[in-house]
Amino acid sequence: MTATTTSRSSLTAYVVSLAAVAVAVVARLLLEPLLADHLPFITLFLAVGFAAWYGGRGPGLLALVAGAVAAAFFLMQPRYTFAIDQTEFQAGLVLYGVVGFASTAMFESLRKAQRQAEEQRRRLEQEVAARRLTEQAFAEQAERLRTTLASIGDAVITTDLAGCITNMNAVAESLTGWTTAEAMGQLLDAVFRIVNETTRKTVENPAFRALKEGVIVGLANHTVLITKDGTERPIDDSAAPIRTKEGEIVGCVLVFRDITERKQIEQQRSDAVARTESVWNNVIDGIITIDERGVVESFNPSAERLFGYQTEEVVGQNIKVLMGEPYHSEHDGYHANYIRTGQSKILGISIGREVEGRRKDGSTFPMDLGVSKFLLGERRYFIGVVRDITERKRAEERLRQLAADLSNADRRKDEFLATLAHELRNPLAPIRNGLHLMKWAGSDAEAVERSRSMMERQIEQMVRLVDDLMDISRINQGKIELRKEHVSLGAVIASAVETSRPLIEEMGHEFTVVMPKPSIIVDADSTRLAQVFMNLLNNSAKYSERGGHIWLTVERQGSDVVVSVRDTGIGIPADKLTSIFDMFSQVDRSLEKSQGGLGIGLSLVKRLVEMHGGRIEAKSDGPGRGSEFVVRLPVDVEASRPQAADKQEEPAAPKSSLRILIVDDNKDGADSLAMVLKMMGNDTRTAYDGKEGVELAGEFRPEVVLFDIGMPKLNGYEACRLIRKQPWGRKVIVIAVTGWGQEDDRQRSHDAGFDHHMVKPVDPQVLMKMLAGLQVAKV
Ligand code: ADP
């Protein structure tokens, strides 16, 4: 299009130049009358100049040439030829040519300059337009950047190359406490002050490293931003250099955010994890998780302790390895059934199902198991919580045993009470009969004496029963103390034999005693040891048919002495040889077979023998084949000399003549004792309560007072204290007579001022001996 325009316009210029030439020729011809033949080119100069001005070099030269030709033909003489003979014309032509050429050249360069100027103007205009566009785009971009920065949730600060702040967004303003206006141009360090949360040391500003090294820098953890007003907030940030298109660093952009909330959540999360972990590690129960196939996934430290496996040894193994039989063998079938039917016997049941666990070393232990299910995504898992219940089982077993023992003891106690009632009632009938006899016998001295001695025997029996009872109870409470001394075993046995002989003789038994000489010395409480042999001898006498044979043999065996009491009696079944030593145990309880005992004698014997450092054993070939009781005691090897125990029996107690006051709320007890003592030559009075006793003592001035302890109005202790306060009461012998014979009872009566403590029923023989001793002391 432009080319067409150009060719048309240049064609126009050529046509215009020829037209100009034609116009110039015509004009010259018109000037003919004025100029004649002179200056034929005069108008043509103008035409050439016009053509060159209008069309440039080409049309100018065309007009020059066409003008020369037209001048030669139309204007110069001879006209209408092209011959130029006249010098004037030739010179004119040369001049015309030179001037025409020069003006063409001149116009041409003029045009060129004009064109260039035009061109330059156009270019300038284009440039201006382009710049305007760029500026507009830039402004748009800047606006976009500004709104972007403003809408970013993070704080953003930009700096120049020197680290001075060039911009910051609203979030940065609120986090740092600086306004953009205040911060502009400030060094980044002044606005963005950061320290390490724990060390409180200033942390290197990441922006400076980003500027220096040209890399993106993330902030170290645990950084705290100190705001303008000094508040601190934990932050998380990063900095990156800003580069031009050419890669040149021109500044830095710092992006940061407040992580207070995130840190709190992180802290809560890590606390929760730590809590769960410490539960896992410290719970007493073993916790095991398994997957759907029964493969162990995790194993806590308690499970390690329980099963003796390390976690890594069990994880990946089938849970079966931890099961004892029959659970181990049954597991696969049970598991397959659960997978198929979804039915479980143990799932979801609270802990308490008892199964057998199997340790690494193969040993097994009882445990409680609770299993629950949980899902991770689509997959099912199971948690087993196990608790070793060995101790509990043991305790249960102990408890069962205890309950059995208790019910056994309870049964024996019931039997014992029945026996006791029977044994106490037995002597009562003859005693009552004896009393009737004495009442009616009148002057029949022989009958009175017979019933008296019968009653005496019965009472002896009752006293023995009660003594045994008290002894066993004291032994059981650990309150019996042995008064040990070097004694001759011979003397001890003699005393026992002495006591038992009446019964042995009464039963018509033959009795053989075999004892070595010289006598053996033992470290023993002679009374208690005599009690042992007396019991054995009495049993032999009781549990043998009339006319049996009893042997008592003493034999030295090394550092021991062995005393055997053997009989030809009813014997003992093999299964009872040990249990007859238990309290209240009797081989045959049927009353008709009972031989007047409570089943505590042997128990007492065994305890006493053991207290002497010895052992006792029962032997028998069975019912009807006799029994043997073997007592083994350590010999006191050092002391071999005959001891005090060898002394002859003391002479019968002499008669005493003392003023004696007896105070007891049991009137019969008081009166009967007073009568006995009176018969022995003493002057006696009785009172039936403490108060009366003290008053009577003031009148009677006794030398000896026998006080019961538990009495109405004033008890024995109080009464004794009152007497001791009287001037005459200090020298009086005050004796406590009570059913309580324990060591602390004795101590209490001693503290109350009693001189002696006697246990009821008082044996008049013993009392007589004691009073005789007092009289001796008085003399
Ligand atoms: P008790 O004689 O009061 O019943 P013991 O404790 O002395 O109580 O004796 C317990 C039981 O041992 C007696 O009941 C009797 O069955 C049996 N026993 C004791 N000694 C003999 C013996 N020498 N021969 C046969 N049985 C005996």
Side-chain angles (χ1 to χ4, degrees), residues 460 464 492-504 530-531 534 537-538:
E460 273 307 309
R464 235 192 348 263
V492 172
I493 287 174
S495 150
V497 167
E498 197 52 48
T499 322
S500 300
R501 199 180 286 280
L503 184 62
I504 295 172
Q531 205 177 344
M534 181 204 75
L537 287 172
N538 282 358

Side-chain angles (χ1 to χ4, degrees), residues 465 535-536 539-544 567 569-572 580-582 585-588 595-603 626-629:
L465 280 177
N535 252 299
L536 295 178
N539 276 351
S540 283
K542 283 194 306 186
Y543 299 109
S544 298
D567 59 53
I570 60 171
I572 301 165
I580 47 167
F581 292 103
D582 291 346
S585 116
Q586 290 182 315
V587 173
D588 193 340
Q595 296 293 323
L598 296 171
I600 57 175
L602 283 182
S603 162
S627 319
E628 182 181 9
F629 286 81

Side-chain angles (χ1 to χ4, degrees), residues 227 342 349 379 453 464 481 543 585 611 615 632 687 708 726 728 734 760 770:
T227 63
I349 291 175
R379 299 181 63 188
S453 70
R464 235 192 348 263
E481 270 173 31
Y543 299 109
S585 116
M611 284 172 80
R615 292 198 308 275
R632 180 177 287 270
D708 180 32
Q726 310 303 321
W728 50 264
V734 192
K760 281 182 182 176
M770 191 163 121

Side-chain angles (χ1 to χ4, degrees), residues 423 461 507 541-543 586 590-597:
E423 292 308 322
Q461 162 110 351
M507 295 291 290
K542 283 194 306 186
Y543 299 109
Q586 290 182 315
S590 53
L591 293 178
E592 57 278 13
K593 293 270 182 68
S594 171
Q595 296 293 323

Side-chain angles (χ1 to χ4, degrees), residues 39-86:
L39 300 173
F41 294 103
I42 188 82
T43 57
L44 283 170
F45 282 117
L46 293 172
V48 169
F50 175 77
W53 170 81
Y54 182 79
R57 190 172 46 200
L61 288 178
L62 177 65
L64 184 66
V65 173
V69 173
F73 193 76
F74 293 109
L75 304 176
M76 280 183 273
Q77 296 299 342
R79 296 204 175 168
Y80 311 116
T81 72
F82 291 106
I84 305 164
D85 324 337
Q86 291 176 39

Side-chain angles (χ1 to χ4, degrees), residues 470 474 738-746 757-759:
M470 291 188 72
R474 283 161 67 188
T738 162
W740 307 110
Q742 314 278 357
E743 210 37 62
D744 47 349
D745 299 321
R746 289 173 189 276
H757 184 113
M758 297 186 84
V759 179

